Amino acid sequence: MSGPLLLSIESSCDETGIALIEDGRRIVSNVVASQVALHAPSGGIVPEVAARAHLRWIVPVLDEVWADAGVAWSDVDGIAVTYGPGLAGSLLVGINFAKALAWVHDKPLIAVNHLEGHVYAGWLLDPGEDEASRPEPIFPLVALVVSGGHTFLAEMTDHLTYRLLGTTVDDAAGEAFDKVGRLLGLGYPGGPAIQRAAEGAIRRDVRFPRAWMGDTYDWSFSGLKTAARRIVTDARAAEGLADEPDARLSEATVAELAWGFQDAVVDVLVTKTIRAAEAVGARSIVLGGGVAANSVLRDRLRSEAEDRSLPLIVPRPALCTDNGAMIGAAGARRFAAGERAGLDLDARPSLPLARR
Ligand code: KG4
Ligand code: ZN
């Protein structure tokens, strides 16, 4: 082992993730048990169901991490765990599991902010991946994190140093994807479903409104949801479905509306991120969070960053959505800075990353 080896645990929302991360970058083993199928029938996450599923899966996930790893407990230098933000019941499962492991194996415990994890996913290397092909993000940088619960833009001048530049004033981008996905009858989660539907759009000129929020780096997505509701109602009337609540819009219309919605979200996210990167003199851009799995967002941000000779660092899609590896990457920086949590560590459901 060249650097510290951390076992890292993520359970803040609806994925049970555990990983072994070496030197803050290298994935030794990374296992995620997703609850997406469990929550799909209710169209969203039910907190009690999520907490119980974490409890059911956390031991099997750990067993699989060891089965993949080829290392032993004696090689582990510490245990990193997400302590917020997230669902209290879900966070507590991971925290208590991490505490028990830390106590039994006599390892230090490191508390990690979930949002910081999404940023540090940009440092991860897959097993066997060549470091030269994935250089570390360069400071100063701007990080855009877009997930189901959060949407923010931060400047980082160094490791663990954040200045909040902008945030959503209402819904998170992923939440907007999920709500509009439901309006279009695409099921849960809406993000991947909208991306797939939009790929089939023939006409690509439907225009959803953009809330520019003046010169700020803030976003607002709740108006977009209201506009989507109106646009869907009009489309249903145009297809003669106004009085048939159970009839579905044609596939072609769903595809066009999905495309228009996605175009509006991507437009405001990319425009503000590029503007911020230029304003602070960033030398790279990091993109993270579940919505960063969206290929249109990735491609458009990459192309606009390339036009300005700015490297864009974006993890592969499975490392954008919640996972334990990103907690190990962030935890390694906190571990190196000497931070240790006590066995009295508690969940912080509303933990912020940084203040303005
Ligand atoms: O980061 P994440 O796994 O969990 C949170 O911390 O919230 O993000 C989940 C969110 C969901 O809202 C989901 O719809 C969205 O990420 N998402 C996507 C895509 N894949 C996941 N949104 C747009 N396009 C995608 N391909
Ligand atoms: Zn997340």
Side-chain angles (χ1 to χ4, degrees):
M1 293 289 152
S2 61
L5 181 71
L6 294 191
L7 182 85
S8 47
I9 301 172
E10 155 62 34
S11 72
S12 67
C13 192
D14 61 344
E15 326 276 356
T16 317
I18 305 184
L20 280 161
I21 301 297
E22 186 191 346
D23 212 11
R25 289 202 80 190
R26 177 73 64 188
I27 296 175
V28 176
S29 179
N30 180 37
V31 178
V32 177
S34 173
Q35 303 178 9
V36 162
L38 189 63
H39 297 292
S42 49
I45 298 161
V46 182
E48 289 297 318
V49 174
R52 249 178 286 141
H54 284 302
L55 216 44
R56 164 70 183 83
W57 289 107
I58 203 156
V59 173
V61 168
L62 181 65
D63 287 344
E64 201 176 323
V65 165
W66 286 120
D68 286 358
V71 293
W73 266 114
S74 55
D75 298 318
V76 173
D77 296 290
I79 298 172
V81 64
T82 305
Y83 75 116
L87 302 167
S90 292
L91 288 164
L92 283 171
V93 175
I95 292 172
N96 286 317
F97 191 60
K99 282 183 193 175
L101 292 173
W103 186 74
V104 168
H105 296 282
D106 195 21
K107 306 285 180 189
L109 186 66
I110 302 114
V112 176
N113 183 314
H114 178 81
L115 304 175
E116 185 165 75
H118 276 305
V119 174
Y120 273 90
W123 271 261
L124 288 171
L125 291 171
D126 277 314
E129 188 177 16
D130 180 14
E131 268 192 78
S133 68
R134 187 175 280 277
E136 288 192 45
I138 313 162
F139 297 114
L141 59 81
V142 292
L144 172 67
V145 173
V146 267
S147 74
H150 302 271
T151 297
F152 68 86
L153 189 63
E155 179 193 9
M156 284 178 82
T157 47
D158 200 352
H159 284 297
L160 312 178
T161 311
Y162 309 93
R163 182 166 70 97
L164 194 62
L165 298 172
T167 177
T168 179
V169 298
D170 40 53
D171 293 350
E175 200 177 346
F177 267 100
D178 293 337
K179 286 178 177 168
V180 172
R182 212 171 302 142
L183 278 174
L184 292 174
L186 289 171
Y188 173 86
I194 285 182
Q195 179 185 322
R196 261 193 314 276
E199 281 160 11
I202 308 287
R203 278 187 49 192
R204 301 189 165 197
D205 56 3
V206 177
R207 194 151 173 96
F208 279 67
R210 277 91 165 134
W212 288 110
M213 312 292 287
D215 290 338
T216 67
Y217 297 120
D218 291 333
W219 293 278
S220 166
F221 295 109
S222 69
L224 199 51
K225 187 184 59 200
T226 313
R229 195 170 296 126
R230 195 193 66 242
I231 292 169
V232 167
T233 305
D234 291 352
R236 294 184 67 83
E239 292 191 1
L241 305 174
D243 299 322
E244 297 182 55
D246 295 334
R248 295 172 66 90
L249 272 174
S250 70
E251 208 174 303
T253 303
V254 169
E256 283 160 18
L257 298 186
W259 183 90
F261 165 78
Q262 179 175 261
D263 184 54
V265 175
V266 168
D267 195 16
V268 291
L269 290 174
V270 171
T271 303
K272 295 210 171 193
T273 303
I274 293 289
R275 182 148 50 80
E278 290 186 320
V280 306
R283 294 178 62 210
S284 62
I285 299 175
V286 172
L287 174 64
V291 181
N294 185 278
S295 62
V296 177
L297 173 61
R298 299 160 76 91
D299 292 349
R300 171 130 174 237
L301 191 55
R302 169 154 295 123
S303 122
E304 296 215 10
E306 264 171 19
D307 288 348
R308 292 158 181 85
S309 302
L310 277 170
L312 171 71
I313 295 93
V314 47
R316 63 183 163 86
L319 297 176
C320 289
T321 47
D322 292 349
N323 63 83
M326 67 186 201
I327 301 306
R333 297 288 165 184
R334 299 259 162 219
F335 182 70
E339 290 187 25
R340 305 289 182 268
L343 290 181
D344 58 350
L345 178 68
D346 205 356
R348 295 273 311 275
S350 309
L351 182 70
L353 178 67
R355 300 190 191 279
R356 270 185 235 240

